[in-house]
Amino acid sequence: MEIDLAPKAPKGLYAGDGGSYSSWTPDDLPMLRVASIGAAKLTLNSRGFAAPSYSDSSKVAYVLQGSGVCGLTVPEATTEKVIKIKEGDALAIPFGFVTWWFNPNDSDLAILFLGDTSKGHRPGQFTDFHLTGPTGIFTGFTPEFVSRAWDLSQSDVSKLVHDQSNAGIVKLKVGQKMPEPSDKDRDGLVVNCLEAPLDVDIKGGGCVVVLNSKNLPTVESVGLGADLVRLHGGAMCSPGFSSDSAYQRKRKGSSGRSRRETGA
């Protein structure tokens, strides 16, 4: 198979005043389908809110720039985790977790997602399901059924299904009340790659941080590990190969490697 290694920009899936969501597709990068790896990018403008959704694949999320808040709901849990996130943070999001993202700041918040799509609907691409809005899962049921199943009033059901006109991302008004994040909720769910102990540190060259089940326990449920490689000016990674069938995603000034988690 002929391999095209030229950099490709993601394709926009939806956008609005609150931000945008883009995805790299197997049609542009055939290796995504071969590796069963999905890749996407969420960018939230000031006051941008990515509505609650879940995916058909487990993911590792990495905050490329900015800071904000993330909400995580574990299946069968009675409460959600609300977490402050900032540049350098990595989160492992197992299959079935419902997440939302919010940017309360003036500068943009950008998040990269990499995940194992081998058990998903489309190998090499995420399929996301929104809870609310015109493409939300509630639209497939009658208001009466949703009201009884979720113990909601008819007016609340109407708001969930009809009041949100944009798909996925909205811009919240100033003063809109949001859940307060808890530092305790970060434990075991987030590791900051810019502050974590270095696994490799070459003076004047660069450094490497490896995400695994030891520094980020939930990564064991995701089925993927990841390496964050940072290079100083004028440095390079020497030619080499991986013995664990790794697939790489690179950007200017640094490189990140997604690999199947071995538990080692």
Side-chain angles (χ1 to χ4, degrees):
M1 180 182 69
E2 184 177 348
I3 301 176
D4 180 8
L5 297 179
K8 298 290 194 303
K11 288 186 175 180
L13 297 183
Y14 51 85
D17 292 340
S20 62
Y21 182 77
S22 307
S23 175
W24 285 267
T25 67
D27 292 337
D28 293 328
L29 289 173
M31 284 300 292
L32 291 177
R33 184 181 291 110
V34 174
S36 290
I37 297 294
K41 181 181 179 182
L42 172 67
T43 301
L44 293 179
N45 304 331
S46 178
R47 306 295 300 173
F49 174 69
S53 67
Y54 64 94
S55 176
D56 66 346
S57 306
S58 300
K59 302 176 182 178
V60 173
Y62 180 75
V63 182
L64 297 170
Q65 71 176 78
S67 61
V69 181
C70 169
L72 290 145
T73 301
V74 182
E76 300 181 1
T78 56
T79 59
E80 69 175 353
K81 305 283 188 180
V82 182
I83 304 167
K84 281 185 179 180
I85 56 173
K86 61 181 180 179
E87 181 178 348
D89 277 352
L91 301 85
I93 306 173
F95 172 76
F97 277 44
V98 174
T99 62
W100 55 262
W101 310 83
F102 176 55
N103 178 15
N105 305 301
D106 293 332
S107 56
D108 287 352
L109 170 64
I111 303 163
L112 172 70
F113 299 97
L114 297 172
D116 177 11
T117 64
S118 60
K119 298 179 181 179
H121 178 61
R122 294 174 293 180
Q125 194 167 358
F126 298 129
T127 299
D128 298 317
F129 301 91
H130 296 99
L131 302 189
T132 62
T135 60
I137 62 173
F138 290 138
T139 59
F141 304 95
T142 64
E144 291 77 15
F145 179 86
V146 175
S147 176
R148 288 161 48 198
W150 292 82
D151 193 23
L152 297 171
S153 67
Q154 291 283 348
S155 61
D156 286 340
V157 171
S158 179
K159 290 178 181 179
L160 286 171
V161 177
H162 302 297
D163 283 10
Q164 182 181 311
S165 57
N166 293 338
I169 299 175
V170 296
K171 188 179 183 70
L172 300 185
K173 297 178 180 179
V174 176
Q176 174 70 47
K177 189 175 181 180
M178 294 293 292
E180 289 293 330
S182 168
D183 291 337
K184 182 178 65 175
D185 285 346
R186 284 178 60 94
D187 295 344
L189 292 175
V190 186
V191 61
N192 188 277
C193 296
L194 304 182
E195 300 172 354
L198 302 176
D199 294 278
V200 177
D201 188 9
I202 306 300
K203 186 176 180 180
C207 56
V208 179
V209 173
V210 179
L211 296 182
N212 52 47
S213 55
K214 294 180 181 178
N215 57 14
L216 189 59
T218 49
V219 83
E220 189 170 359
S221 301
V222 169
L224 286 176
D227 301 349
L228 177 66
V229 181
R230 287 179 288 158
L231 299 178
H232 300 310
M236 66 169 285
C237 288
S238 59
F241 68 93
S242 173
S243 62
D244 63 355
S245 302
Y247 298 91
Q248 298 183 359
R249 186 270 182 191
K250 297 184 177 181
R251 65 189 180 97
K252 184 178 179 182
S254 67
S255 67
R257 184 181 75 177
S258 271
R259 57 183 176 78
R260 301 201 180 281
E261 172 67 9
T262 63

